[in-house]
Amino acid sequence: MKEFFKTLKEIISILPKEKNTKLPFIVFLLFLQSIFEIIGLGAIFPVILSIFDTTFHIDNLIGKFIYEFLGFTHRNDLILFFSVCLLFLIIIKNILSLLIIKYCSKFSYSIYRDLAIKLHGAYYKKGFLFFTDTNSSTIWRDINQATFWFGSMQVMGALIIINEIILTLLICSAIVFYNFKVALLLAFLVFPPFYLFYMWVQKRSLNLGLQRKIIIPQLTKNYYQAIHGYTDIMISGKQTYFANKIKNKIKDLIEVEVESTVNNYAPSKIIETALMFSICAITIYGIYFLENTNEIISTLSLLAIAGYRLTPSINRIVTSLNSMTQTKWVFPIILENISNTLREKTKDIDLIFKNKLHLKKISFSYPNKKNKILDDFSLIINKGEKLGIKGESGSGKTTILNIILGFLSPTSGSYFIDDRELTQSTLASFRTKIGYVNQHVFLLDGTIKENIAFGIDDNDINIKFLETVLKQAKLWNVVKEMPNGINENIGENGVKLSGGQRQRIGIARALYQQAEILIFDEATSALDNITEREITNSIKNLTKSNLTIIIIAHRETSLKYCDRIIDLSKK
């Protein structure tokens, strides 16, 4: 239990302040629930005694009082009375218990929600390089599964253990008070097997959790590759290869889950065996050493009732401890990112773009790489200018673009918008001024309208302005011919659109955002000559505006409407 209290301390350190303030009330509710359980158990005992003890209404003080007070004339009346009372108490107890369980579950899963949102924000703050270096399945595991398991396994598990410990202590106290011999018997025959079993599976449970941590992102990655690589997999005839990769990881996961399931079910079987051994021992003792059979009935009834409720309680404690041990790997992930989120709070400052973007003596090299992609590079882009950037692969086009976008910070040198340096506090404001169209425009599995008014609630979309930007992007005639117009679903990654139409969606999106700076990153490189010419003509129409346009391209034809072209191949 020492490990449990250590884990409990870690849970409390992670919980937000508003959740920590609710914990005393949650513990009070759990104590209340345990009291209800004790009352329910206590109500079973008079029913059993009134059935099996024929003199219960005469010899027992409580039985005699109720029998005479209510004017019963037959022992069956007393049995019926106790049975009805028991039924009523059980109904009330279960209703109240369900309400408490619902409240505790809401508390636990609200923690999952809050932490998932916090981790999502924390991972976005890690920046561009983090997302390029980290597999998406690992990010998904951390943001969704780590937080879900923290709420459902760690927090909910801790609450279950607290509840069951309270209940177990109350039951054991009641047994000690009622029959000390039975309490000793339970202490020697039931609790040692429970403790030995837990000590045996603890390390194994931790190992199972670590295996699951590794297997799940690998399995998710294999699924993603099989789904997104459908065309290439089918053409190359490699279905079996990718199916086997999935099959092998599922096999590994099944082995982990099977052993985990056995570990969770085993405690109840061990405790049940120990209780049956106790009942046999009491029966044998009663037959040979006790003359009063009522005492045997009383003792066996007490043991049966205690076992009836202690067995699931101890099983829940062990199962919850196993689950908490198996998901302990979530703590470093959550603790590290939550602490980073608290440290990295910055106040956003509004930034105005009036005159120019200025890269001043920029140098850049990627982490753990010696060679410099850029070395003492300077560039001024005037507002309203149409600038083209070309160069061979590795010449630094993408790096310059990512510095302009604020995804990469220079190793040395400075980046100014007018006379203000771009910093974390001005970055959010600056990005609202940028429209970005790349080679593979990111498209939602949604409608034309949702993809252009990107990230805007349906009720807040300006339909007239949407039509205007569709016309500017030379997409209006295409949309009009669709069965549902702007409400046409374009499928995952815009699978229902042509390459040129996907690029125009990107242009329309940038225009809808009323961007002041429009960046085309190899936007036409994957298109055929005719479609490239159409997109280039769409860009030509935009050059008549006061937009600042930056075009990065391999093809000279994509840059023909630029005011100025920088060739990075010519150092």
Side-chain angles (χ1 to χ4, degrees):
M1 294 308 290
K2 182 182 176 182
E3 193 65 29
F4 167 68
F5 288 110
K6 183 183 174 183
T7 304
L8 194 60
K9 189 178 178 181
E10 288 180 315
I11 291 171
I12 293 169
S13 70
I14 289 174
L15 293 182
K17 268 188 180 180
E18 63 273 14
K19 302 297 182 186
N20 272 322
T21 54
K22 287 184 178 180
L23 274 180
F25 181 64
I26 295 282
V27 173
F28 170 74
L29 288 178
L30 296 175
F31 178 76
L32 207 60
Q33 186 180 15
S34 299
I35 295 295
F36 296 150
E37 291 288 345
I38 290 295
I39 292 170
L41 284 175
I44 297 172
F45 204 54
V47 175
I48 294 172
L49 290 179
S50 63
I51 292 171
F52 291 103
D53 187 354
T54 55
T55 61
F56 182 73
H57 61 298
I58 299 169
D59 297 335
N60 187 278
L61 290 175
I62 296 173
K64 183 179 180 182
F65 173 77
I66 294 172
Y67 187 85
E68 293 175 354
F69 181 78
L70 295 177
F72 292 145
T73 57
H74 196 277
R75 189 171 69 90
N76 290 344
D77 297 335
L78 188 63
I79 295 170
L80 181 62
F81 172 77
F82 281 133
S83 300
V84 171
C85 288
L86 174 63
L87 178 63
F88 179 76
L89 281 170
I90 294 297
I91 291 170
I92 297 297
K93 172 190 78 74
N94 288 338
I95 290 171
L96 291 172
S97 292
L98 286 173
L99 290 173
I100 291 170
I101 290 168
K102 183 180 179 181
Y103 185 85
C104 292
S105 297
K106 277 187 173 181
F107 174 78
S108 298
Y109 290 115
S110 69
I111 292 167
Y112 153 58
R113 176 199 64 209
D114 294 346
L115 289 179
I117 292 167
K118 280 188 178 181
L119 252 70
H120 179 267
Y123 275 22
Y124 261 59
K125 285 184 178 180
K126 285 178 181 286
F128 178 74
L129 290 177
F130 171 77
F131 280 89
T132 57
D133 293 342
T134 310
N135 190 278
S136 58
S137 58
T138 301
I139 296 171
W140 175 81
R141 179 203 65 192
D142 292 353
I143 292 176
N144 186 67
Q145 287 200 301
T147 52
F148 176 79
W149 283 333
F150 179 79
S152 61
M153 298 290 190
Q154 294 294 333
V155 177
M156 196 64 192
L159 294 178
I160 289 169
I161 290 170
I162 291 169
N163 180 44
E164 298 301 339
I165 286 175
I166 293 170
L167 181 60
T168 302
L169 290 174
L170 287 173
I171 291 172
C172 291
S173 300
I175 294 171
V176 169
F177 178 77
Y178 186 83
N179 192 319
F180 187 69
K181 290 180 181 178
V182 174
L184 281 176
L185 191 67
L186 287 172
F188 282 107
L189 295 180
V190 176
F191 289 103
F194 153 69
Y195 178 75
L196 291 172
F197 174 80
Y198 175 67
M199 293 304 292
W200 180 67
V201 302
Q202 187 181 20
K203 287 184 179 179
R204 185 60 189 154
S205 293
L206 183 61
N207 187 43
L208 289 172
L210 293 174
Q211 287 182 52
R212 191 187 283 118
K213 175 193 175 183
I214 295 167
I215 293 168
I216 286 177
Q218 291 176 343
L219 178 59
T220 306
K221 182 177 74 173
N222 291 341
Y223 275 127
Y224 284 171
Q225 289 173 346
I227 293 167
H228 295 297
Y230 171 80
T231 305
D232 295 295
I233 291 168
M234 293 300 291
I235 289 171
S236 61
K238 299 297 182 184
Q239 303 97 305
T240 304
Y241 171 77
F242 284 93
N244 283 337
K245 286 181 76 175
I246 293 170
K247 178 184 172 183
N248 291 335
K249 289 302 167 188
I250 290 176
K251 182 184 175 183
D252 293 341
L253 186 60
I254 286 172
E255 288 178 4
V256 170
E257 296 300 338
V258 167
E259 188 164 349
S260 178
T261 302
V262 171
N263 286 349
N264 288 339
Y265 274 97
S268 62
K269 306 305 175 186
I270 291 169
I271 295 161
E272 184 181 325
T273 304
L275 281 169
M276 288 307 298
F277 183 73
S278 304
I279 289 170
C280 289
I282 289 173
T283 304
I284 293 168
Y285 174 78
I287 290 170
Y288 288 102
F289 297 101
L290 294 177
E291 295 181 3
N292 187 355
T293 55
N294 286 338
E295 190 176 342
I296 300 175
I297 293 170
S298 174
T299 305
L300 288 175
S301 298
L302 180 62
L303 190 62
I305 293 168
Y308 163 76
R309 193 57 190 84
L310 280 176
T311 300
S313 286
I314 296 172
N315 187 55
R316 286 189 193 112
I317 289 171
V318 176
T319 303
S320 297
L321 285 171
N322 283 343
S323 298
M324 291 174 76
T325 303
Q326 289 177 27
T327 54
K328 282 200 76 171
W329 59 267
V330 307
F331 282 100
I333 293 170
I334 295 172
L335 281 167
E336 179 188 347
N337 289 291
I338 293 300
S339 60
N340 286 343
T341 304
L342 294 173
R343 282 199 303 269
E344 292 174 8
K345 284 185 178 178
T346 56
K347 186 179 180 182
D348 290 334
I349 298 172
D350 193 32
L351 186 122
I352 299 171
F353 174 43
K354 289 182 178 180
N355 301 311
K356 63 185 177 182
L357 306 178
H358 187 187
L359 301 180
K360 189 175 181 181
K361 295 185 177 181
I362 294 291
S363 294
F364 182 84
S365 58
Y366 285 94
N368 304 318
K369 297 286 177 69
K370 291 181 180 180
N371 62 310
K372 291 183 179 180
I373 305 296
L374 299 172
D375 188 11
D376 205 29
F377 176 83
S378 294
L379 174 65
I380 293 175
I381 306 170
N382 294 309
K383 183 163 187 177
E385 185 179 9
K386 283 62 185 173
L387 176 73
I389 302 175
K390 70 175 186 176
E392 298 171 356
S393 295
S395 59
K397 298 190 306 295
T398 302
T399 303
I400 290 170
L401 173 65
N402 285 324
I403 289 173
I404 290 172
L405 290 169
F407 288 134
L408 296 177
S409 298
T411 309
S412 63
S414 304
Y415 174 26
F416 293 92
I417 289 81
D418 294 338
D419 296 321
R420 172 166 272 177
E421 188 171 2
L422 186 67
T423 61
Q424 284 299 319
S425 57
T426 56
L427 188 56
S429 175
F430 174 63
R431 284 185 178 150
T432 62
K433 302 170 187 356
I434 296 175
Y436 177 62
V437 184
N438 68 357
Q439 183 177 347
H440 304 289
V441 176
F442 173 70
L443 296 173
L444 303 169
D445 184 3
T447 63
I448 296 279
K449 179 172 64 175
E450 289 171 329
N451 275 283
I452 293 173
F454 190 73
I456 298 173
D457 289 333
D458 202 57
N459 295 331
D460 298 327
I461 296 173
N462 186 328
I463 301 299
K464 286 187 178 179
F465 186 51
L466 188 80
E467 292 177 5
T468 301
V469 299
L470 282 168
K471 290 171 184 174
Q472 287 178 297
K474 301 295 182 183
L475 200 57
W476 178 241
N477 290 334
V478 176
V479 173
K480 277 199 306 182
E481 293 174 4
M482 292 179 175
N484 299 308
I486 60 173
N487 292 309
E488 183 76 14
N489 191 291
I490 62 173
E492 189 174 10
N493 294 321
V495 69
K496 297 179 183 178
L497 301 177
S498 68
Q501 288 167 352
R502 287 196 288 270
Q503 297 308 106
R504 286 193 180 94
I505 290 283
I507 295 170
R509 178 189 293 170
L511 294 172
Y512 188 89
Q513 292 170 346
Q514 297 180 292
E516 297 177 41
I517 305 164
L518 198 53
I519 297 174
F520 293 90
D521 178 16
E522 301 284 6
T524 60
S525 62
L527 305 176
D528 59 72
N529 290 333
I530 295 172
T531 310
E532 181 202 10
R533 194 157 50 245
E534 291 173 356
I535 297 298
T536 304
N537 287 332
S538 298
I539 296 171
K540 177 188 174 183
N541 292 330
L542 299 174
T543 61
K544 299 171 186 177
S545 66
N546 194 39
L547 283 168
T548 303
I549 299 177
I550 303 169
I551 304 173
I552 294 179
H554 279 93
R555 298 173 185 172
E556 193 78 38
T557 51
S558 299
L559 305 172
K560 63 182 178 180
Y561 297 115
C562 293
D563 302 324
R564 179 164 57 115
I565 298 173
I566 295 173
D567 189 350
L568 294 176
S569 300
K570 300 172 181 178
K571 296 296 184 182

